[in-house]
Amino acid sequence: MDLIIVESPSKAKTISKYLKGKYRVDASGGHIRDLPQKTLGVSIKNGYEPKYVTSPGKEETIERLSEAAKRAEKVYLATDPDREGEAISWHLQTVLGLDEKGLNRIEFNEISPKAVEKALTRPRLINYNLVDAQQARRVLDRLVGYKLSPFLNNKIQNGLSAGRVQSVALRLVVDREREIQAFKPEEYWTIAAEVQDKAKKFSPFRAALEKFKGKKYKPANKEQADETLAALAAGEYAVGNIKKSVTKSHAPAPFTTSTLQQDASNKFGMSAPETMLMAQHLYEGIDVEGEGHIAFVTYIRTDSTRISEDAQSSALGFIAEKFGKEYCPEKPNVYASKKGAQDAHEAIRPIDLTRTPDSVKKLLDKKHYNVYKLIYERFIASQMAEAQYNSMQIEIENGDYTLKASGKTLRFAGYTAIYQESKKEDDEETSAKLLPDLTEGEKLDCNGVKADQKFTKPPVRYTDASLVKTMEEKGIGRPSTYASIISVLNKRKYVEKDGKYMIPTEVAYRITDMLVKYFTDIMDVGFTAGMEEKLDDIEEGGKDWRAIIGEFYPPFEEKLKFASADGDEVTDILCEKCGHPMVRKSGKYGKYLACSNYPACSNIVSEGEAEISDTPCPKCGAMMTVKSGRYGKFLACPNYPECKSTLPYGEKKEDVFEGVCPDCGKPAKKLRSRYGKIYYGCSGYPDCKFMSWDMPTGEKCPACGGALVKTPKGVIKCANKECSYKIIPETPQKDQPNEG
C-alpha cells in the first residue's frame, strides 16, 4: 500500500476518509528536523551551513514513518503548498532516505476528494528553490535572533528577544505611540444648517458648511465660528449646483491571509493568531456528526486573490440560482494580486458551496462558524455584480459661504446582498435617503444653524487588523508570519491591550531605542521589505541563498561588536589573573570591570565601589561581593563567570560550613538553591559530589551504611529513603507534682 505523509493528524484523518482506505495516510506533526534550540546551529565559517537536528520529541515519529516508508510501494509527501511545506517534505525525504530524484512530492490547494486524487496523478520532484528560500529565512532569522537577544539581555534585562521582522513590527507600534504622545490637538469648528423648501413640500435636510469664498473652510476658533454664524443668519439660503448620478461599488476581492485577519478583527474582535487557528481547523478538517472528518476551506496562508476557473464557474452558477442572473457580472470578476504574491496559490474560499453557513451553523462552534461565514460570504460576494446607488449632492449658497448636502439610496444591491464590508474608523455616516427634488436658484428656509467645537484627533493605535494591514502594505513579513509576530509581541509582554488596541510597554521603548541606535538597517522598514524581496528571488531561482546571507552577516557582525563595546573604557587596573588592562563596561546591573584579554581571559570583577563582604565563596574561596538584583541585595562570587556561586545577603561567615561529608570527611557547605531552599554539599566538590537537603553528620547508618543526616528538628536519620533507621531526640520531661 502506498504511503501519504502530511503535517497534521487532523489533515491525515480527512484525507484518509476521502481516499477510503486505498492509501495509508500518516502525519509528521510539522518539522521533524530543525536548528538546535540551545545553540546557534549555523556554521558561519562554513558558508552559513545550517546544522539540523531531530526536533525534540520527534524520535518516535521518525521511527514510525521510517518503518511505514520501508513497507510502502510508493511514498508521497503531501505537505502544505508553500516554502515551509516544501522544506518539511525535503527534511522527510532526507531522514527517511527517499530517492532525491524520485517523484515524491504532491500538493493541493484544497483538501477535497477531487483535489487529492488529481494531485496523486501529478507527483513531482522537490522544488529546491522553495527549500532554499525557507532555509535562507530560517538561517537569517536565527543569526539575528541569537545574536541580538543576548545583546539586549546584557544591556537591558534578562528574558528579552529580538527578531528580524518582530523587532520592526514592534518599532511600528512604538513609533505610533510616540506620535500619539507628541500630538497636539488643534481646535476647529463644524457648522451645519437645517434647511427646507419654502413651500414645505419636502422634509428638512442637513447641509454642512464646506467653503468660504470658494475655498475649503472650517472655523479655527469660537470667534471665527460666531462670525460665520452671524453671517449665515444675516444672509439668504439658495440652491446652488445640483449633481445627480448613479454610483457603483465594486465587489471586494476574495480573502487573502491578511484581509481575513483584518475582517475577523474588525467584525468579531478576534486576534490574528486566534483567526488563523480557526482557519487552520477549517482547512485541515473538523469532525462533523454523521459525516466524519470534513474540510471546509482551501489553503489559508496565501497572498493571492486568484480563483480557479472551476471555482469561479461554480460560484456564478450558485449566484444565478440563489439571487438571479442580474447578480452575475457581465464579465467574471478578476482581481490583481499585489506584487510578489504567490499566484500558484488561490485566494481563501469554501471548498463546497452547498455547505452554506446556515447549513453548518449547528455543526460548528461559534468561532469556527464566524470565520467560515466570513470566508464563504466574501468569496460569493467577490464574484457578484457591483452595487449601485442613486446619489445626489446639493450645494447651498449663502453669500460667501457654501454648504453641502449629500445623500444616496440603494438602487441595486449587487454583492451587498450577501456581504457588508467593515466600516472604517474614520468613516462618516452618509444619509440613507435621497435629498429633495429641488431646482437651482430656489430659495430655502433655515430652521436653525448649529456650531460644534471639535479637535483634531491623534493617530489611532494599532490593532491586530491595522498592524497586519500595515505590515502587508510595507512588505514586512509574509502571510505565514503575521499571526506569529503578533503572538510574540503579546506573549513577551512588549505590548498590552486596551480593548483591541496595542500599547507598547516600557521595555518595548528601551528595546526599540537600543536597536535603532545600533542597528539602523535591521530596524528600517525598507531594509526589511528589501530582504523579503531577496528571499523571493531565491524562490524564483535567480539568487544563491548563501550569497544573500553573506552580504548581510559581516556588516551586521561588525555593528554587533561595536554595539556590545560601545561605552567601554580601558582602565589602568590590571587583571589579577593575566595582567592585561581591565575594561570598564556597563551592564543591566550597572558598571563592572572585564579583562581586555577576552576570550583568552574571562575575568570579571565588580567596580571598586562594590561592597566586599566577609563571606568566602563556598565554591572557590574568594571573598564575595554585595550585588543588587531585582529581588534586592545578594552575595556573588567576584570570579564570575568562572564561578557562579551566589548566597543570600546577610549570610554569616561561620554559617557557610556546617556538618561533615560522610563520603570523604571534609567540611560540608551550607548552600542555597535557586529557589532559596537550604541544602548541603561537600567542600571537596567537584572531586566529591555529595549533596543532601539535611545536614550530614559525617557518620554512616549502622543498618545499611548510608549517610546519617540531621533534620532541622534534630532528628538523626538515614539519607537512604528505603532505610527506616532513625533516632528521635528525647523531649525534656516537666517536673511531676508529688503524690500524697
Side-chain angles (χ1 to χ4, degrees):
M1 183 180 289
D2 292 345
L3 171 66
I4 299 175
I5 302 177
V6 296
E7 294 103 327
S8 78
S10 180
K11 191 175 177 182
K13 192 174 180 180
T14 306
I15 294 174
S16 184
K17 172 181 178 292
Y18 290 162
L19 296 178
K20 300 178 180 178
K22 298 178 192 175
Y23 297 80
R24 174 175 176 176
V25 187
D26 208 334
S28 68
H31 279 281
I32 59 170
R33 289 199 312 172
D34 199 0
L35 298 176
Q37 291 184 346
K38 296 184 178 180
T39 58
L40 182 62
V42 177
S43 178
I44 295 171
K45 295 181 180 179
N46 189 27
Y48 307 101
E49 181 70 24
K51 178 186 177 182
Y52 294 112
V53 298
T54 299
S55 298
K58 289 300 176 72
E59 293 81 6
E60 291 184 8
T61 301
I62 292 174
E63 185 177 349
R64 185 186 73 247
L65 293 177
S66 296
E67 289 299 318
K70 289 176 184 177
R71 295 193 299 268
E73 297 177 20
K74 179 74 176 176
V75 178
Y76 295 100
L77 305 173
T79 50
D80 284 344
D82 58 12
R83 293 174 188 168
E84 200 74 21
E86 203 73 15
I88 292 173
S89 282
W90 172 64
H91 286 303
L92 285 166
Q93 176 181 268
T94 304
V95 172
L96 301 182
L98 304 181
D99 184 3
E100 290 184 6
K101 298 182 179 179
L103 302 177
N104 299 316
R105 180 76 165 111
I106 63 172
E107 62 177 343
F108 33 81
N109 189 60
E110 63 183 63
I111 304 175
S112 64
K114 180 180 177 182
V116 176
E117 292 280 8
K118 184 177 179 181
L120 286 165
T121 66
R122 302 166 64 181
R124 61 168 174 81
L125 295 169
I126 295 287
N127 185 332
Y128 289 99
N129 289 338
L130 287 174
V131 174
D132 285 348
Q134 190 275 341
Q135 284 198 100
R137 177 185 291 279
R138 190 76 183 94
V139 169
L140 188 63
D141 290 346
R142 171 57 65 96
L143 289 172
V144 172
Y146 262 61
K147 296 293 185 178
L148 284 188
S149 297
F151 167 74
L152 292 177
N153 290 335
N154 184 53
K155 291 287 187 178
I156 300 177
Q157 67 182 49
N158 289 330
L160 301 181
S161 74
R164 183 179 60 86
V165 181
Q166 163 200 321
S167 298
V168 178
L170 181 60
R171 181 183 183 179
L172 292 175
V173 178
V174 169
D175 285 352
R176 174 62 57 85
E177 191 66 22
R178 281 181 165 149
E179 286 180 51
I180 294 170
Q181 293 169 355
F183 179 80
K184 294 182 179 179
E186 295 182 3
E187 180 184 8
Y188 71 96
W189 290 70
T190 60
I191 294 177
E194 185 182 275
V195 294
Q196 189 175 18
D197 63 295
K198 289 188 173 293
K200 305 294 191 269
K201 291 191 301 181
F202 304 107
S203 299
F205 60 95
R206 179 180 176 274
L209 176 65
E210 187 178 63
K211 296 178 182 179
F212 175 65
K213 294 184 178 180
K215 294 183 179 180
K216 292 279 186 182
Y217 175 69
K218 285 182 181 177
N221 49 52
K222 190 175 187 304
E223 290 73 20
Q224 291 182 9
D226 289 341
E227 182 182 334
T228 302
L229 288 174
L232 290 174
E236 291 188 346
Y237 292 84
V239 177
N241 184 46
I242 298 176
K243 182 180 178 181
K244 296 180 181 180
S245 62
V246 175
T247 57
K248 297 178 180 180
S249 175
H250 196 279
F255 279 135
T256 61
T257 302
S258 68
T259 53
L260 171 61
Q261 291 173 4
Q262 291 169 50
D263 217 32
S265 174
N266 290 330
K267 290 182 176 176
F268 302 118
M270 296 176 69
S271 68
E274 185 180 30
T275 300
M276 292 311 293
L277 180 62
M278 299 300 106
Q280 184 74 22
H281 294 163
L282 292 169
Y283 164 65
E284 293 180 346
I286 295 176
D287 277 320
V288 174
E289 188 176 351
E291 296 187 60
H293 221 62
I294 301 294
F296 287 83
V297 302
T298 57
Y299 188 54
I300 44 85
R301 291 182 179 87
T302 175
D303 52 5
S304 172
T305 55
R306 187 183 67 81
I307 292 294
S308 70
E309 291 183 5
D310 286 348
Q312 192 167 59
S313 177
S314 297
L316 292 172
F318 176 86
I319 293 165
E321 181 180 346
K322 176 149 179 89
F323 298 97
K325 290 185 178 180
E326 67 273 20
Y327 282 84
C328 296
E330 293 182 8
K331 293 181 180 180
N333 294 336
V334 178
Y335 300 89
S337 295
K338 71 180 184 71
K339 181 183 177 182
Q342 307 296 307
D343 250 19
H345 300 163
E346 284 190 62
I348 306 171
R349 60 172 175 81
I351 292 174
D352 183 356
L353 294 183
T354 64
R355 293 189 185 279
T356 63
D358 285 343
S359 71
V360 301
K361 189 170 186 178
K362 293 182 179 179
L363 306 177
L364 302 174
D365 62 43
K366 185 177 180 181
K367 290 183 178 179
H368 285 99
Y369 169 76
N370 285 342
V371 173
Y372 181 66
K373 188 171 186 287
L374 278 184
I375 293 170
Y376 188 99
E377 293 181 348
R378 175 77 167 233
F379 170 66
I380 295 297
S382 74
Q383 304 307 307
M384 294 176 74
E386 297 171 319
Q388 298 180 16
Y389 301 89
N390 288 319
S391 297
M392 189 174 184
Q393 290 183 346
I394 301 178
E395 289 186 344
I396 311 295
E397 304 293 347
N398 186 331
D400 290 332
Y401 296 93
T402 302
L403 296 87
K404 185 177 179 180
S406 301
K408 69 177 183 179
T409 56
L410 187 65
R411 178 188 179 100
F412 174 66
Y415 75 90
T416 63
I418 192 171
Y419 177 83
Q420 299 292 326
E421 293 189 80
S422 301
K423 184 184 174 186
K424 296 179 181 177
E425 294 186 52
D426 56 353
D427 277 352
E428 293 185 3
E429 291 288 345
T430 302
S431 173
K433 61 182 180 179
L434 277 178
L435 298 169
D437 191 11
L438 303 173
T439 58
E440 292 186 10
E442 182 177 346
K443 302 296 184 182
L444 300 174
D445 285 337
C446 178
N447 298 334
V449 186
K450 184 179 179 182
D452 289 314
Q453 182 188 36
K454 299 202 173 182
F455 293 91
T456 53
K457 295 180 180 179
V460 179
R461 288 188 175 112
Y462 281 112
T463 63
D464 279 23
S466 59
L467 184 58
V468 166
K469 183 179 180 182
T470 300
M471 287 195 295
E472 183 182 41
E473 290 174 347
K474 294 182 178 296
I476 304 170
R478 284 296 180 261
S480 60
T481 64
Y482 300 141
S484 61
I485 289 169
I486 290 174
S487 178
V488 169
L489 296 184
N490 285 286
K491 189 183 298 183
R492 292 278 184 176
K493 299 191 184 305
Y494 297 156
V495 299
E496 295 174 341
K497 288 290 186 74
D498 180 10
K500 64 179 181 179
Y501 297 103
M502 295 182 182
I503 303 176
T505 58
E506 186 272 336
V507 75
Y509 292 98
R510 297 172 67 190
I511 290 172
T512 300
D513 291 344
M514 184 71 70
L515 294 179
V516 168
K517 178 180 179 180
Y518 294 111
F519 304 94
T520 310
D521 52 356
I522 288 179
M523 294 297 284
D524 180 69
V525 170
F527 177 86
T528 306
M531 186 59 72
E532 293 292 352
E533 292 179 0
K534 290 181 179 180
L535 295 174
D536 292 341
D537 290 340
I538 297 170
E539 180 175 332
E540 293 166 7
K543 283 278 189 177
D544 173 18
W545 74 268
R546 295 174 192 272
I548 289 176
I549 304 294
E551 292 171 4
F552 165 80
Y553 186 74
F556 167 70
E557 188 176 37
E558 287 302 313
K559 291 185 179 74
L560 185 63
K561 288 179 180 178
F562 173 79
S564 300
D566 189 29
D568 292 356
E569 176 189 349
V570 178
T571 70
D572 56 1
I573 302 172
L574 299 181
C575 175
E576 60 184 14
K577 292 188 176 181
C578 70
H580 281 74
M582 300 291 280
V583 177
R584 182 174 289 109
K585 290 178 172 284
S586 296
K588 54 182 172 286
Y589 297 126
K591 292 185 176 181
Y592 62 95
L593 297 176
C595 183
S596 61
N597 194 28
Y598 180 84
C601 177
S602 56
N603 186 26
I604 293 177
V605 297
S606 300
E607 274 274 42
E609 62 268 20
E611 180 184 348
I612 307 298
S613 74
D614 60 355
T615 303
C617 173
K619 289 186 178 180
C620 70
M623 300 308 291
M624 303 189 82
T625 57
V626 180
K627 296 272 190 177
S628 294
R630 68 178 69 182
Y631 302 116
K633 291 184 177 181
F634 65 96
L635 300 182
C637 181
N639 291 329
Y640 179 88
E642 291 180 353
C643 180
K644 299 179 180 179
S645 179
T646 61
L647 288 173
Y649 180 70
E651 193 79 74
K652 295 179 180 179
K653 179 178 178 180
E654 57 270 22
D655 290 339
V656 173
F657 295 97
E658 189 172 340
V660 179
C661 175
D663 291 346
C664 68
K666 290 184 178 181
K669 295 184 297 183
K670 187 178 179 182
L671 304 169
R672 194 178 296 269
S673 73
R674 62 186 296 184
Y675 301 109
K677 187 175 180 180
I678 296 293
Y679 71 99
Y680 298 84
C682 181
S683 60
Y685 181 87
D687 296 329
C688 179
K689 295 181 172 60
F690 173 82
M691 285 191 293
S692 170
W693 289 114
D694 296 306
M695 186 188 77
T697 64
E699 303 293 332
K700 296 285 188 178
C701 173
C704 71
L708 288 182
V709 296
K710 184 177 181 180
T711 71
K713 293 184 178 180
V715 176
I716 305 295
K717 68 174 185 177
C718 181
N720 182 3
K721 293 182 179 179
E722 297 180 359
C723 180
S724 59
Y725 182 81
K726 184 183 297 185
I727 301 175
I728 300 175
E730 293 184 5
T731 303
Q733 298 292 319
K734 292 183 179 180
D735 292 337
Q736 298 294 321
N738 292 329
E739 294 182 3

